[in-house]
Amino acid sequence: MHIIEDFLVKRDKGYYCTYGDFYIDPLYPVKHAVVSHAHGDHASPGHKNIYSTQGTASIMKYRYNKQPVESFQIKDFGEFFQINGVDIYFYPAGHILGSAQILMVYKGVRYLYTGDYKLQEDSTCEPLEFIEAEVLITETTFANPNTKHPDPVSEILKLDVKSNILLGCYALGKAQRITAMINQHLPHKEVLLHYQIMPIHRIYDQFIDIPMKYEAYNRKSMKDPGENKIYLVPPLTFNSYRRAKNVLKAFASGWERLQAQNDISLYLSDHVDWQDILYFIDRVKPKAIWTLHGDGRLLHDYFAEQITIRGYPKPNF
């Protein structure tokens, strides 16, 4: 078995598989795009062929409605397909609906690209599966021993206050997870949605087993006296409502800087923290780790004498 060091290289358009002539999560049009999930920093339009799960394709079709439908090459989780001699499989990543780890097998070596992933429970997406691989290509968004995501249920219970709440969150993934958690743990609270979030909820409704309860926002509903309304808005809208009165403000994120100036801190992340990464690595059992989407230096220091580790591009370890 021989690990090919340039099997996946970083180019301007995205991460390029030299031996299969395809890109993973490219940001600019390419011939073959293998897409891990539908967030805008991973999924983009204009490709000739888009390989993704059904959930990812459904969201991309909504967001990029000029993308030809025939360009989508939809694959089930665990389904084998091949691009130019490289065997490929999708496995659930637990990040958002349809999010996938991408397992690539070439000349007997298994290369596992995680995309964004999380281990925490989330009823609105497929739970992460652990797949063994010789090379782990992992995000390191929160790869710091000082980072520990709190219990998500304890965080959502912070919203059990006698006030209407303006809650900032990302329209895709975070908003749906929060809605489901409020429904489950704070059933007396009413969830109202900004018009930009509503269509994503409708897509999720087609896939998830437990129906979400929510309503479209209107000005009158938030002005009515009451203490049980939680209005979910995307980040730009949240920032424009900074001076809103008669509501408490919260923003759902794992980043501490986004909690500043809010009335309620709400640490909800859809990425792995330090302990999650270590547990994940233990389950994958890689011989090499390649890091991306974050700073992998602390991970390198931790595994320096055990596992070969490098970044994209190679950082100054």
Side-chain angles (χ1 to χ4, degrees), residues 35-188:
V35 178
S36 66
H37 66 284
H39 276 144
D41 57 337
H42 293 259
S44 63
H47 313 297
K48 183 176 181 180
N49 294 294
I50 297 173
Y51 302 82
S52 76
T53 65
Q54 181 66 68
T56 295
S58 296
I59 298 165
M60 290 184 69
K61 287 176 183 177
Y62 161 69
R63 286 189 156 177
Y64 309 126
N65 55 23
K66 294 183 180 179
Q67 178 72 33
V69 174
E70 60 271 18
S71 65
F72 288 94
Q73 312 297 322
I74 297 170
K75 306 297 178 182
D76 292 331
F77 287 115
E79 178 182 351
F80 165 80
F81 64 103
Q82 195 175 69
I83 304 177
N84 297 323
V86 175
D87 299 346
I88 304 175
Y89 305 82
F90 289 139
Y91 292 98
H95 180 58
I96 64 171
L97 177 70
S99 62
Q101 304 170 74
I102 301 166
L103 177 65
M104 297 161 283
V105 184
Y106 185 70
K107 293 188 175 180
V109 180
R110 297 159 65 90
Y111 302 82
L112 181 65
Y113 173 97
T114 64
D116 293 339
Y117 64 112
K118 74 172 181 289
L119 276 61
Q120 289 184 344
E121 182 180 354
D122 183 350
S123 64
T124 64
C125 70
E126 306 85 357
L128 178 140
E129 290 186 20
F130 296 98
I131 307 299
E132 293 187 7
E134 284 75 38
V135 179
L136 172 62
I137 307 164
T138 179
E139 61 137 316
T140 54
T141 305
F142 291 104
N144 188 315
N146 295 323
T147 300
K148 178 175 175 53
H149 298 324
D151 173 59
V153 176
S154 298
E155 290 298 295
I156 213 72
L157 290 177
K158 290 179 178 179
L159 303 179
D160 194 13
V161 294
K162 293 183 177 180
S163 172
N164 290 336
I165 298 171
L166 179 70
L167 201 166
C169 56
Y170 296 109
L172 170 56
K174 191 82 74 181
Q176 294 74 41
R177 184 186 183 193
I178 288 172
T179 298
M181 293 186 70
I182 293 172
N183 291 167
Q184 180 180 358
H185 300 288
L186 300 172
H188 56 287

Side-chain angles (χ1 to χ4, degrees), residues 45 154 196 207 213 225 239 271 274 300:
S154 298
Q196 291 180 352
F207 288 89
K213 298 178 182 178
N239 291 335
H271 297 263
W274 178 257
H300 172 271

